[in-house]
Amino acid sequence: MIERPRGTRDFDPAAMAKHRQVEDALRRAAESFGFREIMTPTVEHLDLFTAKSGPGIIEELYAFKDKGGRDVALRPEFTASVIRFYLSELRSLPKPLKLYCLGNAFRYEEPQKGRYREFFQFNAEILGGASLEADAELLALALAALRHVGLRQTEARVGHIGMLRAFLREAGARQAAILHALDKKDFERLRAELAGAGLSRHEETLKTVVGLKGGLDVLDEAARLLGGDAAPAVDYLRRLRERLSHYGLADAVTFDLGVVRGLDYYTGMVFEIDSPNLGAEKQVGGGGGYTLAELLGGEPVASTGFAIGMDRVIPAAEAEGVRMSPPVLDAYVIPVGGPSRVAAMEIVRELRAAGFRVDTDLIGRGPSKNLDFANSVGARLAVILGEKELAAGKVSLKDMGTGEQTAVPAASLLAEVASRLGAR
Ligand code: AMP
């Protein structure tokens, strides 16, 4: 037996139906906000990812040489690809550009519950917008997207990386390592990095700031602790909250100045959304404002984006009791006796042509076995073609939900199916 690679999964029909239901909800949310769908390749040149994150990222990537000897990697996320696409081809489109994509991403990490090597993301970006309005719009989409899926219990935490970047300006090249330690709440490493940068005096302040969480009062406290350098970022968050109030969302977010996000390209507002119903890997999504285009050699373009993890949203929705519809078959057509097979195929073709999801017996089962099968695959209706009935121009239509069975003129079967199921 050949096993699937570690950290990957197979999706059976029931799992895939959930996946599609959630994808559909996310897509509808994005389109209701005027975002348009794009797609980028699964495999990219390795440089695309090392350009922004440095060679250290290679350890976390599925990176390899292709047959032409080129260094390539499976995408670990979408943002870098979207920006590459933007810089090479989308630059001339009217701005702001509101783009979304859905697909798989790969990270070479230790698999555990909620953390896989192949996983699926819904990603949205706004490129070339004024940043405050774009950030608010993006956050509003992230919240609306989760609502569309049916989640009600998520917590959105918003911070601003510019606050710490301004405060740690003197740290120079060590800033990234300090931010990384703050992101991981690794206070031992923080102490070492601060000492290395000659900034040990800031240790207590930084620890206090990343522990601040709450409403507007938290911003006042941060302004007091961090001083004037951090003022623009603090003020930005105040205005962001005001802007969110225009969406009716002022109270939908909590300020959390501990949201740092490890990736080096974030420069502005940053946010994370958690579900309390998941285990250790409870973050269902996150994002923020960034300046990736410059890192990839393009002109600056105000950008803000987020990704939601499908593999966490689905169990979070199930934990909240969101109804996940199993795969559905509209009708299962059952010929009883050899001669009715021809008539059965006529009916199958007619219903399929009208857009219904229809299946029929392929292996010559008897009628009761066929009804069991129809039941097991979730058929809503069974169409039973008995020879006597057929001679009288009729077929039996059985509602698999209620068990009720009625004889229907064959000529009006399509209309009857449509009236029971709704036209497709
Ligand atoms: P990130 O790009 O790390 O901010 O990830 C965005 C979202 O993708 C996270 O909030 C998770 O929901 C999801 N995610 C990231 N990595 C994984 C993974 N290895 N397995 C499953 N979901 C993931």
Side-chain angles (χ1 to χ4, degrees):
M1 283 284 267
I2 298 174
E3 289 181 7
R4 57 174 186 254
R6 197 161 132 76
T8 64
R9 284 152 301 152
D10 297 306
F11 294 82
D12 66 14
M16 211 53 217
K18 292 177 198 172
H19 194 93
R20 288 284 176 245
Q21 176 176 328
V22 170
E23 270 192 356
D24 287 350
L26 295 169
R27 239 191 208 103
R28 275 199 307 277
E31 303 210 341
S32 78
F33 273 65
F35 282 68
R36 293 181 295 170
E37 186 167 7
I38 58 167
M39 189 37 105
T40 59
T42 313
V43 62
E44 294 274 9
H45 289 297
L46 179 62
D47 296 350
L48 180 66
F49 307 114
T50 50
K52 67 171 191 218
S53 312
I57 187 84
I58 296 177
E59 251 174 66
E60 296 167 33
L61 295 177
Y62 268 88
F64 49 94
K65 280 199 193 297
D66 72 5
K67 287 186 180 165
R70 292 180 266 308
D71 285 311
V72 294
L74 302 181
R75 61 181 173 218
E77 46 114 36
F78 284 89
T79 305
S81 301
V82 173
I83 296 295
R84 174 194 53 67
F85 188 18
Y86 168 78
L87 290 174
S88 64
E89 282 168 69
L90 305 178
R91 247 198 285 221
S92 57
L93 293 182
K95 296 199 196 41
L97 263 179
K98 299 167 87 175
L99 304 172
Y100 77 93
C101 37
L102 277 155
N104 53 355
F106 301 82
R107 294 182 193 172
Y108 202 84
E109 40 194 6
E110 242 349 88
Q112 61 182 76
K113 194 164 177 286
R115 180 192 290 267
Y116 307 99
R117 289 184 172 173
E118 183 190 28
F119 57 100
F120 296 82
Q121 284 191 334
F122 164 71
N123 182 86
E125 317 278 343
I126 304 180
L127 309 178
S131 58
L132 182 75
E133 284 74 12
D135 278 345
E137 176 88 346
L138 188 89
L139 251 173
L141 171 61
L143 296 169
L146 296 173
R147 284 248 150 187
H148 266 68
V149 172
L151 291 180
R152 293 286 179 276
Q153 297 171 11
T154 50
E155 187 196 28
R157 297 174 289 110
V158 181
H160 196 304
I161 194 78
M163 227 176 261
L164 296 174
R165 285 199 193 278
F167 184 68
L168 289 169
R169 202 165 17 223
E170 289 166 55
R174 285 194 184 254
Q175 193 189 76
I178 297 173
L179 290 176
H180 203 74
L182 285 168
D183 178 36
K184 298 274 176 260
K185 302 274 185 305
D186 180 347
F187 291 138
E188 238 168 78
R189 187 161 153 222
L190 175 70
R191 171 168 299 176
E193 294 293 345
L194 285 172
L199 295 175
S200 295
R201 65 186 182 283
H202 291 326
E203 185 182 334
E204 286 314 309
T205 307
L206 285 169
K207 282 188 188 162
T208 310
V209 169
V210 298
L212 290 176
K213 198 173 153 190
L216 283 170
D217 49 325
V218 156
L219 299 184
D220 299 334
E221 183 67 4
R224 193 182 65 73
L225 287 165
L226 298 177
D229 286 347
V234 172
D235 184 52
Y236 187 90
L237 288 184
R238 284 201 190 96
R239 289 187 291 127
L240 181 65
R241 189 174 193 280
E242 162 83 23
R243 182 80 194 171
L244 284 173
S245 73
H246 304 161
Y247 291 84
L249 291 173
D251 297 321
V253 300
T254 304
F255 291 120
D256 180 348
L257 306 188
V259 180
V260 177
R261 297 188 67 73
L263 288 174
D264 299 335
Y265 57 84
Y266 286 105
T267 48
M269 174 276 286
V270 280
F271 69 97
E272 291 174 350
I273 305 180
D274 299 331
S275 163
N277 302 308
L278 300 177
E281 299 295 337
K282 63 184 170 40
Q283 198 192 111
V284 293
Y290 60 88
T291 52
L292 189 53
E294 289 104 297
L295 290 179
L296 297 178
E299 81 280 12
V301 53
S303 338
T304 183
F306 72 81
I308 285 177
M310 295 285 296
D311 314 276
R312 297 186 191 166
V313 166
I314 295 167
E318 288 186 298
E320 287 196 32
V322 173
R323 228 183 85 79
M324 292 286 178
S325 314
V328 181
L329 190 67
D330 292 318
Y332 188 77
V333 180
I334 304 175
V336 183
S340 58
R341 295 199 155 260
V342 175
M345 282 319 295
E346 270 172 35
I347 288 173
V348 166
R349 286 168 62 188
E350 183 187 24
L351 293 177
R352 283 180 179 167
F356 292 103
R357 293 162 288 194
V358 181
D359 198 5
T360 189
D361 180 27
L362 299 180
I363 55 175
R365 285 192 179 98
S368 79
K369 286 257 163 61
N370 260 326
L371 277 171
D372 289 346
F373 180 78
N375 203 26
S376 70
V377 295
R380 295 165 76 187
L381 298 170
V383 183
I384 306 157
L385 284 78
E387 277 171 77
K388 264 194 224 136
E389 265 179 318
L390 212 52
K394 294 193 167 179
V395 298
S396 285
L397 193 57
K398 179 168 182 161
D399 184 312
M400 299 300 290
T402 63
E404 182 204 338
Q405 187 167 327
T406 44
V408 177
S412 57
L413 178 68
L414 177 59
E416 184 63 29
V417 168
S419 91
R420 295 210 193 185
L421 300 182
R424 287 186 67 80

